[in-house]
Amino acid sequence: MLGDFTKGRYRALELITDYVREPSRELRLNAIVCEVSDEDLRWVTDKVHYFLLRILEDAEYDPAEDFEEIPIGLTES
């Protein structure tokens, strides 16, 4: 599974990892409606965030290898 990472998938996982770090307002409201305590919601989001960070760490994708050389604009005349 981790060998299937592409630049786009890796960036999407980074985005989701940042998004999950703090429960959104909508998620907190849904938790109230579903009678989930703020403490339990926070515990679960902390664990999900931790595991997403571990997946990023273990991914066989290295964003540094995806670096494209961009010409500076120095050309010979």
Side-chain angles (χ1 to χ4, degrees):
M1 176 183 101
L2 294 180
D4 295 338
F5 269 88
T6 62
K7 179 180 179 179
R9 291 174 185 170
Y10 188 85
R11 292 178 75 192
L13 186 57
E14 285 179 318
L15 179 65
I16 290 172
T17 302
D18 287 340
Y19 183 78
V20 171
R21 184 181 310 158
E22 290 289 326
S24 67
R25 182 173 186 255
E26 182 179 355
L27 183 57
R28 287 185 186 150
L29 290 174
N30 284 335
I32 291 169
V33 170
C34 295
E35 298 178 3
V36 174
S37 73
D38 194 50
E39 179 183 338
D40 289 340
L41 180 64
R42 187 74 203 148
W43 184 89
V44 170
T45 55
D46 284 346
K47 298 300 180 202
V48 168
H49 183 251
Y50 169 79
F51 287 115
L52 288 172
L53 288 173
R54 291 295 309 250
I55 292 171
L56 280 172
E57 187 177 289
D58 293 344
E60 294 178 11
Y61 173 79
D62 184 5
E65 290 179 2
D66 219 11
F67 178 74
E68 295 180 20
E69 290 187 29
I70 301 172
I72 298 175
L74 301 175
T75 59
E76 293 182 23
S77 301

